[in-house]
Amino acid sequence: MEIVRAKDYGELSRKAANILASQIILKPESVLGLATGSSPIGLYERLVEMYRNGDLDFSKIKTANLDEYVGLDPENDQSYKYFMNINLFSKVNIDLNNVNIPDGTNKDAETECDRYETAIESLGGIDLQLLGIGNNGHIGFNEPADHFPARTHIVDLTESTIEANKRFFADVSLVPRQAYTMGIGTIMKAKKIVMVANGEKKAPIIKEAFLGKITPQVPASILQLHPDFTLVADEAALSMIQ
Ligand code: F6R
């Protein structure tokens, strides 16, 4: 495991964007596994900037996102598809036919999860998977559990996640109750994994996940076993492991 230190969120975003940019430059037809959430927003901004400066070409890039809410239309501004369009896809020359996100409108979980796992396999697997980390150690929507789920699957959101998400919706009844997520096995099969983490709120879980024991109760701890895992974090997030 490599740790790339940054003094603040701006530097973290630049450093992480440089890692993704070198992947794109060295292998223009790369398969990128992408994440939503607040952590990668700055990194996506930097990638868009590099594209606008003529330094990056996304025309052959393929992507597969980690997760999506079940039941949300892609036009819903809380869907992860919408997030990706706003923050990256609509701003670079990516071919939208090369973009993969679990289809939250497909209510048939078994079919959708099999379709998604097969789609990733037929891309030849993921070259570089980008991750954030939840305060409880979740990656994707793989919450603390008694085992590491292998494949793409459906999860019931915890009450605390529903509670945390309700501020984005007009009414709590509109908050999705379920999500599709890549499994831990899907994530671990990526050739390279890059995690971005910032802020002091992430410091305790960064310590537990990467200095503690490997356990499905802290899903991110499995990354200790990945042969090419890089954590890009700011000083605040690293403050408990200096
Ligand atoms: C997002 C995802 C989540 C987030 C995590 C951290 O696609 O899968 O696991 O990476 O919840 O979220 P932020 O970055 O908002 O702290």
Side-chain angles (χ1 to χ4, degrees):
M1 162 175 178
E2 293 281 333
I3 298 181
V4 174
R5 293 171 183 272
K7 65 176 187 317
D8 55 23
Y9 183 65
E11 190 175 303
L12 172 159
S13 301
R14 285 200 307 280
K15 288 186 167 180
N18 286 343
I19 299 175
L20 268 83
S22 37
Q23 176 72 41
I24 294 168
I25 291 166
L26 292 172
K27 188 177 176 190
E29 67 288 1
S30 289
V31 180
L32 302 179
L34 298 177
T36 62
S38 54
S39 312
I41 290 179
L43 173 171
Y44 291 143
E45 282 170 4
R46 296 288 82 73
L47 290 181
V48 169
E49 213 172 277
M50 288 184 229
Y51 164 72
R52 287 186 178 151
N53 290 338
D55 293 328
L56 286 183
D57 175 14
F58 287 80
S59 61
K60 295 193 192 109
I61 291 293
K62 301 177 188 93
T63 66
N65 261 77
L66 278 170
D67 42 17
E68 178 60 287
Y69 288 120
V70 175
L72 287 195
D73 193 85
E75 271 68 58
N76 186 305
D77 64 5
Q78 293 308 317
S79 77
Y80 288 173
K81 184 154 198 185
Y82 187 93
F83 174 103
M84 290 309 303
N85 281 333
I86 289 292
N87 287 290
L88 186 67
F89 298 155
S90 66
K91 297 180 173 165
V92 297
N93 65 333
I94 198 159
D95 178 348
L96 291 179
N97 293 317
N98 289 337
V99 159
N100 295 276
I101 300 185
D103 178 2
T105 63
N106 187 353
K107 299 263 171 64
D108 181 343
E110 206 178 314
T111 310
E112 180 52 22
C113 294
D114 280 352
R115 181 198 69 78
Y116 199 64
E117 198 72 26
T118 308
I120 294 171
E121 278 160 23
S122 59
L123 292 174
I126 293 168
D127 290 302
L128 187 157
Q129 175 67 53
L130 178 64
L131 296 176
I133 183 169
N135 292 335
N136 61 0
H138 72 221
I139 48 177
F141 263 118
N142 294 282
E143 299 287 354
D146 55 10
H147 71 292
F148 291 111
R151 292 165 60 86
T152 301
H153 58 288
I154 187 165
V155 287
D156 293 327
L157 304 189
T158 59
E159 274 311 315
S160 69
T161 302
I162 294 167
E163 199 48 35
N165 287 352
K166 79 173 184 204
R167 66 188 192 279
F168 298 117
F169 294 83
D171 187 279
V172 69
S173 66
L174 300 174
V175 184
R177 285 347 203 213
Q178 291 179 310
Y180 293 132
T181 180
M182 285 184 193
I184 295 289
T186 327
I187 294 169
M188 288 294 280
K189 274 194 267 177
K191 295 184 188 85
K192 183 178 184 66
I193 300 183
V194 176
M195 173 181 279
V196 281
N198 66 288
E200 61 185 348
K201 274 199 189 140
K202 296 282 166 78
I205 194 63
I206 291 293
K207 180 178 179 199
E208 204 181 342
F210 304 121
L211 293 186
K213 68 172 185 191
I214 297 166
T215 163
Q217 292 300 330
V218 183
S221 63
I222 193 87
L223 297 168
Q224 293 181 39
L225 296 179
H226 194 278
D228 190 351
F229 170 56
T230 303
L231 169 65
V232 188
D234 67 358
E235 291 301 341
L238 293 172
S239 57
M240 292 175 75
I241 60 169
Q242 320 266 18

